[in-house]
Amino acid sequence: MLENSGELFQHLQVSQVTSDLGGTIRFNHQEWIDTQRVVEKHLIQLLNRLDGYEHVRGQLEQQEKPSSLIESRDSVRRHVDAQDIIAKEDLDCECEAVSHAIAQLRPCSNPDFNACFGRLEEMCSCLLSMQVQLQRMWDEKGAKLDQVVQLRKYEHDSAQMMQWIETTAQSLSDDHTDIGDSLSSAEINKQAFHNFQSQISSQYQEISRVITT
């Protein structure tokens, strides 16, 4: 055990000892705490951003095959929500805040903090590159999902139209094939058929729209 601080220099160089013990390393404990808080704050924010990006990457790489109109619309909603996570404006603000904080803290006599500053700058650069890649992936998947929605909507509308045609054909067969046994009943049947034609006219236009879309 050393009897006094002077004996430190028998084992350590002056440059390895803090100034309060006679060395040349400048050490301010409050400054160290303040710097540590700033570094940890930005490091946590960037790590959270990285976790969010990794989650979105996994979501974008997933090959979704929605089998119905409802499922395809749910996929689109999830896809739109992902855009909020990869928004470039938020990342730009975070990286600007990091750059501003580092500029205020430099130069720093603590080599560990200097290494942390470099690490924060590297993370910002990595996240900016990752954001560009994710945005491209998001755009490409969005275009594919739009096509899927259009296909599933066409299938959904077509199924409804076919059901309507079958129901209408059955109604025509059941209710509008009687020619009547008198002039009066024939007139009634004729009017009923005209009413039936009016009812199906608008639906026929919708069928034409679906077929030609």
Side-chain angles (χ1 to χ4, degrees):
M1 180 179 294
L2 301 179
E3 295 183 359
N4 57 69
S5 60
E7 295 183 15
L8 280 173
F9 302 110
Q10 297 176 10
H11 307 278
L12 299 173
Q13 297 179 7
V14 176
S15 60
Q16 296 176 311
V17 181
T18 57
S19 57
D20 59 321
L21 295 176
T24 58
I25 295 179
R26 184 180 65 84
F27 178 75
N28 183 309
H29 188 62
Q30 186 59 49
E31 179 182 322
W32 186 92
I33 292 176
D34 293 341
T35 302
Q36 182 72 14
R37 286 176 176 172
V38 172
V39 169
E40 288 184 355
K41 170 190 172 183
H42 290 294
L43 181 60
I44 290 173
Q45 288 178 343
L46 294 178
L47 287 174
N48 287 338
R49 172 73 62 173
L50 180 61
D51 287 342
Y53 278 8
E54 291 292 354
H55 175 74
V56 170
R57 186 201 295 275
Q59 181 178 327
L60 294 176
E61 290 177 344
Q62 182 179 358
Q63 298 297 322
E64 297 187 61
K65 297 180 180 180
S67 59
S68 68
L69 180 59
I70 293 177
E71 289 181 4
S72 61
R73 284 175 173 169
D74 286 341
S75 295
V76 169
R77 278 193 289 269
R78 289 193 298 271
H79 187 69
V80 171
D81 290 341
Q83 179 61 49
D84 294 335
I85 298 177
I86 62 177
K88 187 175 187 300
E89 293 77 10
D90 293 342
L91 178 60
D92 286 342
C93 290
E94 285 184 19
C95 290
E96 287 177 6
V98 169
S99 297
H100 179 71
I102 291 176
Q104 289 186 319
L105 294 172
R106 279 176 172 163
C108 180
S109 59
N110 189 315
D112 292 332
F113 281 140
N114 285 324
C116 286
F117 298 158
R119 175 58 177 160
L120 289 174
E121 291 172 330
E122 289 176 3
M123 288 185 67
C124 284
S125 178
C126 177
L127 286 169
L128 287 168
S129 297
M130 194 173 182
Q131 191 278 334
V132 172
Q133 180 187 34
L134 290 176
Q135 186 62 57
R136 176 180 55 78
M137 294 173 64
W138 188 89
D139 292 338
E140 292 175 355
K141 186 169 184 178
K144 293 179 181 179
L145 286 176
D146 285 341
Q147 293 176 344
V148 172
V149 169
Q150 293 177 19
L151 174 61
R152 298 302 178 226
K153 187 175 188 309
Y154 177 80
E155 293 173 343
H156 177 267
D157 291 346
S158 297
Q160 286 190 322
M161 295 304 102
M162 288 301 300
Q163 182 179 7
W164 178 84
I165 290 173
E166 292 173 359
T167 301
T168 303
Q170 187 63 45
S171 175
L172 178 63
S173 174
D174 294 342
D175 303 328
H176 301 288
T177 55
D178 185 12
I179 62 174
D181 55 6
S182 66
L183 177 60
S184 176
S185 61
E187 290 290 346
I188 292 174
N189 289 336
K190 181 180 179 181
Q191 184 59 46
F193 183 72
H194 283 317
N195 293 340
F196 175 76
Q197 283 184 309
S198 298
Q199 291 173 1
I200 67 174
S201 177
S202 60
Q203 194 65 31
Y204 175 78
Q205 294 175 1
E206 179 64 15
I207 293 175
S208 299
R209 182 194 66 78
V210 172
I211 293 175
T212 57
T213 298

